[in-house]
Amino acid sequence: MVAILTTAFTLACVGIFLLLYVNLRAAAGWLQDDIRIMVYLDDRLASDSIADVEQDLRSDRAVASLLFISKEQALGEFKAQFPSESHLLEGLGQNPLPASFVVALSPSFRSPDAVKRWAERVRQVAGVSKVDYNQDWIDALATVIRSIELVAIGIGVILSGAAVTIIANTIRLTLFARRDEIAILRLIGATTSFIRIPYLLEGAVLGALGSALSLVMLKLMYELFRQQMRTTGRFSGLDNLMAFFPSSVCFALIAVGMGLGFAGSFVSIRRFGEAKA
Amino acid sequence: MIQLIHVSKQYDQRPALSDVTLEIGKGEFVLLMGPSGAGKSTLLRMLIGAERPDGGQIFVHQKNVTTLKPSDIPYLRRKVGTVFQDFRLLPKKPVFDNVALPLLVQGVSSADIRRKVTEALRAVGVEHKRDQLPAGLSTGEQQRVCIARAIVNGPVVLLADEPTGNLDPTLTAEIIELFKLINARGTTVVVATHDPLVMAQVNRRVLILSQGRLLPEQRVMG
């Protein structure tokens, strides 16, 4: 029971980071989905050529949607957004704002690298004067995702190692307590697998139960956290965006726990067997 | 049935067995005698592959034990029953389960286990103790249970290491009679002992080990 609890606490720590990672990754995905790329057109471009650029963009499989903003619309938007500054443009005599396309990319082309490559390519298209998107924001986002990924992997590996060690020690204690029984079984002709299988199964069951218990603990903590967010009113709306592991991931985590338990047991039995040989 | 050819074994540069050569035929009853530390237990342990010799060859039931793969040793041990001075019974299991153990590891069916265990317990005279734990038995009964476990799967060889070491003279005589009965059914029996009482009761071949060397053979008349 102590072994199951200790394993559960260890795996729950892994689970916290995994949950954090999954949610941040999802949040990063939503933010990434919102990225719009501005393709500014050359001011001297004739309407036929604008249609050519539009045709080019529409036929690009990376482009999910396209919105044309004419010079007049751009000016109108500027005036609507910055009414107190509109006199600045009137002083210039002519409309200095370029026509543009607002492009949303398909999901498979939304990674920071893909966006960068696409923008570089479109910059070369005749009639395009500038391609603008929030490069810094995308790069920062990519760095944050990579960092979280690395931390999650690092912590996951360390704590998984801890779980294996805990289970290995539990099984070693069991083996030590039953060493006389094991010696008798060997002397009467029990095969190695006959002796090992029950302990391997015990390790796997310990790991699976520890993992299942850690998921219960995580779910409780998760619900408590959401409740807390709702009652305090902080980050309102964010609690609706948060998500727990889907059932497939829960089963996968239990399977991982089972695997770790099996590994711990295997390590112990190998050492015990070598010591006895 | 058993053959040792120039077998030697050392522990920390101290010879336990030196150049031992012997042969035990099918159905023989052999006493292996000698003082403590003479190498009797080492020799028996080698016969079941629990120890490897430093030199020489060992054959048991036509198998070369010295070249046997570790994974094949359990199958050799199923042909060789072993009786220990300290009985080595599982304290938390009743008599029946202890005797059933060799059959269980071989995957024998429950019906066959019930039949064979009952026969073995009857043969050694402790059938009525089948549901008791070893702690509730006398030393003589515990040794009988140990013998029942050793013969339950019909081994071709029965090895006994100081089987009467913890028994009084009356119980020793009973246990020796039991070995004679088992031998009479065709099982080769090798009993290692330093107890002169045992030698006095057995009119059989005697092998004497002294400081790891086998002395010239003699036959003792009981």
Side-chain angles (χ1 to χ4, degrees), chain B residues 34-216:
Chain B
S36 293
K40 305 185 297 292
S41 298
T42 303
L43 197 150
L44 292 191
R45 285 175 61 76
M46 282 183 178
L47 293 179
I48 55 167
E51 299 273 355
R52 294 262 180 195
D54 297 331
Q57 305 272 307
I58 299 171
F59 293 88
V60 176
H61 194 50
Q62 290 147 6
K63 293 255 187 270
N64 188 342
V65 182
T66 35
T67 58
L68 218 51
K69 283 188 292 179
S71 57
D72 287 332
I73 287 176
Y75 301 99
L76 167 78
R77 291 179 184 170
R78 292 175 189 184
K79 300 275 178 202
V80 182
T82 319
V83 176
F84 309 95
Q85 179 180 4
D86 56 354
F87 320 130
R88 299 214 189 167
L89 299 172
L90 300 180
K92 290 175 184 166
K93 300 268 186 197
V95 165
F96 184 94
D97 291 359
N98 266 286
V99 176
L101 221 49
L103 301 171
L104 207 66
V105 303
Q106 290 181 51
V108 175
S109 70
S110 327
D112 281 349
I113 288 179
R114 262 196 307 278
R115 183 175 56 78
K116 290 184 175 183
V117 172
T118 307
E119 279 172 17
L121 288 174
R122 193 178 298 145
V124 299
V126 285
E127 197 190 352
H128 58 293
K129 303 279 184 179
R130 55 185 290 152
D131 297 323
Q132 289 202 21
L133 291 176
L137 304 177
S138 69
T139 46
E141 286 167 339
Q142 287 188 48
Q143 191 58 291
R144 283 169 184 271
V145 173
C146 183
I147 295 169
R149 186 181 63 192
I151 60 167
V152 74
N153 54 348
V156 291
V157 179
L158 181 68
L159 304 177
D161 191 7
E162 299 283 4
T164 59
N166 288 327
L167 308 179
D168 62 34
T170 316
L171 287 173
T172 297
E174 286 177 19
I175 294 297
I176 293 303
E177 282 310 310
L178 209 51
F179 284 136
K180 284 182 177 174
L181 271 173
I182 293 163
N183 177 241
R185 291 179 191 173
T187 308
T188 307
V189 177
V190 181
V191 177
T193 181
H194 68 277
D195 187 354
L197 261 178
V198 175
M199 197 165 74
Q201 288 175 41
V202 183
N203 175 20
R204 306 292 166 101
R205 185 177 165 201
V206 178
L207 299 170
I208 298 177
L209 276 172
S210 175
Q211 293 181 321
R213 290 190 177 279
L214 192 64
L215 301 184

Side-chain angles (χ1 to χ4, degrees), chain A residues 18-120:
Chain A
L18 200 63
L19 199 57
L20 195 69
Y21 169 67
V22 167
N23 276 284
L24 282 174
R25 177 112 207 192
W30 300 324
L31 293 171
Q32 193 112 22
D33 290 350
D34 275 351
I35 286 172
R36 296 287 178 267
I37 303 174
M38 303 298 296
V39 177
Y40 294 105
L41 302 174
D42 196 326
D43 249 1
R44 292 156 298 180
L45 214 58
S47 55
D48 287 356
S49 306
I50 292 175
D52 288 345
V53 173
E54 184 172 0
Q55 185 56 40
D56 261 12
L57 292 174
R58 284 204 188 278
S59 59
D60 190 333
R61 64 191 179 93
V63 176
S65 66
L66 196 66
L67 178 69
F68 178 69
I69 297 177
S70 65
K71 287 172 72 70
E72 291 70 31
Q73 281 172 314
L75 184 65
E77 275 181 25
F78 180 84
K79 282 179 178 171
Q81 281 179 24
F82 309 103
S84 56
E85 319 292 338
S86 57
H87 64 279
L88 291 173
L89 297 180
E90 281 163 12
L92 293 171
Q94 59 176 24
N95 178 3
L97 298 176
S100 61
F101 286 105
V102 183
V103 177
L105 293 179
S106 307
S108 51
F109 292 89
R110 281 177 195 162
S111 73
D113 282 348
V115 170
K116 202 172 180 175
R117 276 199 302 276
W118 189 85
E120 293 292 336

